[in-house]
Amino acid sequence: MDEIRSSFSTLSQSGLRPTQSMDPAAEKAMSSFASMFSDTIKEGERTSASAISGQEDPHNLLVSLSNAEFMVNTVVTVRDRAVQAYQEIFRMPI
């Protein structure tokens, strides 16, 4: 999670804005997805901390961690597809 935050921080400091040229609907969708990702990861961390102290049911821990794993895999897949699309565009003859 810290790596993702530092990546966005680096983009912001360099003057590059990933949503700068997006239309409002795409920007809203990206913001919604980012908050959903963040909420899922935070919920997994909270549930893990509660389970370690014995306050959380092991089933809830498994569900929460599975959701977090699914969200991370989704983000990685989207990133890989975006990189692949960029590489294909880059290889196009002009």
Side-chain angles (χ1 to χ4, degrees), residues 16-90:
L16 297 174
R17 305 271 187 251
T19 59
Q20 189 171 356
S21 63
M22 290 183 155
D23 64 14
E27 189 171 345
K28 182 179 177 184
M30 188 166 198
S31 175
S32 174
F33 182 77
S35 77
M36 184 174 54
F37 174 76
S38 178
D39 292 346
T40 302
I41 298 299
K42 286 178 185 175
E43 178 66 22
E45 290 174 350
R46 186 199 62 76
T47 305
S48 296
S50 295
I52 289 172
S53 64
Q55 299 172 352
E56 191 68 50
D57 181 34
H59 175 72
N60 290 340
L61 173 65
L62 182 61
V63 169
S64 180
L65 292 178
S66 294
N67 287 340
E69 181 183 17
F70 175 75
M71 188 59 72
V72 169
N73 287 338
T74 301
V75 169
V76 168
T77 301
V78 168
R79 182 209 57 195
D80 290 346
R81 296 275 175 114
V83 168
Q84 183 182 11
Y86 173 79
Q87 289 173 342
E88 286 182 25
I89 291 170
F90 189 69

